[in-house]
């Protein structure tokens, strides 16, 4: 019998909060059971295993992040849209480091195809329409933006840039300026 008040959704949210507090890699069914003061077995009527929990947290994070980026993009185009999108990702990662890490989880192809990850790609392609890129350059640019955003965010959150001047905010602005310039002057193959 399922413990009253425990649902897959409640456990997912608690797992996401735990990820933000102790790191996504430390979230397990056992850790979540301890938090709720129940035996691990009590959670298995709601979750298959730790991987199921991790996948649910990843899907939650992807959806939250997609909603945040969509709100930031509303009514924007070109460089303004690029900056709004990039800043939404960076702000989310700062506010929810465990969830952001979860959003990077490799999902099964069937799960990924129905996740908010699809919305992320669509929104990035919408930004790129303002730069008049066609295929395959648009796909290359989607990958470039994702790599730069994630790489910078990951390095910054790990302290890689904290040992020297200028500050990370100044560099972030310069990175976005460089990306805008590159996208406006995309090299011919």
């Amino acid at each position: 019998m399922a413990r009253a008040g425990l649902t897959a959704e409640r456990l997912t949210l608690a797992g996401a909060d735990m990820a933000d507090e102790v790191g996504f890699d430390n979230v397990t069914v056992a850790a979540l059971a301890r938090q709720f003061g129940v035996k691990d077995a009590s959670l298995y009527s709601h979750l298959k295993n730790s991987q199921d929990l991790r996948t649910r947290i990843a899907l939650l994070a992807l959806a939250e992040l997609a909603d945040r980026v969509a709100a930031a993009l509303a009514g924007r185009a070109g460089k303004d849209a690029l900056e709004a999108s990039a800043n939404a990702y960076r702000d989310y990662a700062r506010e929810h480091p465990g969830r952001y890490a979860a959003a990077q989880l490799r999902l099964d192809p069937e799960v990924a195809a129905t996740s908010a990850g699809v919305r992320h790609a669509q929104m990035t392609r919408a930004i790129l329409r303002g730069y008049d890129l066609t295929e395959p350059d648009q796909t290359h640019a989607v990958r470039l933006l994702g790599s730069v955003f994630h790489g910078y965010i990951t390095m910054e959150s790990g302290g890689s840039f904290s040992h020297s001047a200028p500050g990370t905010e100044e560099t972030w602005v310069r990175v976005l300026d460089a990306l805008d310039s590159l996208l406006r002057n995309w090299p011919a193959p």
Side-chain angles (χ1 to χ4, degrees):
M1 173 182 259
R3 183 171 172 96
L6 292 182
T7 64
E9 293 76 22
R10 184 171 178 212
L11 294 170
T12 301
L13 284 171
D17 289 343
M18 181 184 289
D20 287 339
E21 293 169 18
V22 301
F24 182 59
D25 289 339
N26 297 314
V27 176
T28 63
V29 171
L32 200 56
R34 281 191 301 277
Q35 179 176 317
F36 280 97
V38 300
K39 295 185 185 301
D40 298 8
S42 300
L43 303 189
Y44 288 116
S45 60
H46 306 289
L47 304 167
K48 295 176 192 168
N49 51 37
S50 285
Q51 186 59 38
D52 180 40
L53 174 61
R54 292 170 58 78
T55 298
R56 288 172 182 271
I57 295 168
L59 293 172
L60 171 71
L62 285 168
E64 287 177 347
L65 187 50
D67 289 346
R68 184 175 290 202
V69 172
L73 285 176
R76 300 178 193 274
K79 184 179 181 188
D80 191 34
L82 175 69
E83 290 174 343
S85 175
N87 288 329
Y89 278 99
R90 188 172 177 225
D91 291 345
Y92 185 83
R94 287 174 164 176
E95 294 166 27
H96 300 289
R99 283 173 162 93
Y100 182 79
Q104 311 311 313
L105 182 70
R106 184 181 185 139
L107 301 172
D108 292 333
E110 306 81 41
V111 173
T114 60
S115 76
V118 174
R119 287 179 55 207
H120 290 272
Q122 291 169 338
M123 288 185 285
T124 303
R125 288 180 185 282
I127 292 168
L128 294 173
R129 282 195 290 276
Y131 291 98
D132 294 323
L133 295 180
T134 58
E135 287 301 341
D137 291 331
Q138 194 176 85
T139 297
H140 296 314
V142 167
R143 292 172 180 167
L144 171 72
L145 292 178
S147 298
V148 171
F149 295 170
H150 179 64
Y152 192 94
I153 290 166
T154 300
M155 292 181 74
E156 180 182 36
S157 69
S160 296
F161 305 139
S162 62
H163 307 293
S164 62
T168 59
E169 193 60 39
E170 183 179 340
T171 302
W172 180 248
V173 169
R174 298 287 302 268
V175 166
L176 296 180
D177 287 345
L179 285 172
D180 175 64
S181 178
L182 173 63
L183 292 170
R184 281 187 284 109
N185 300 293
W186 192 263

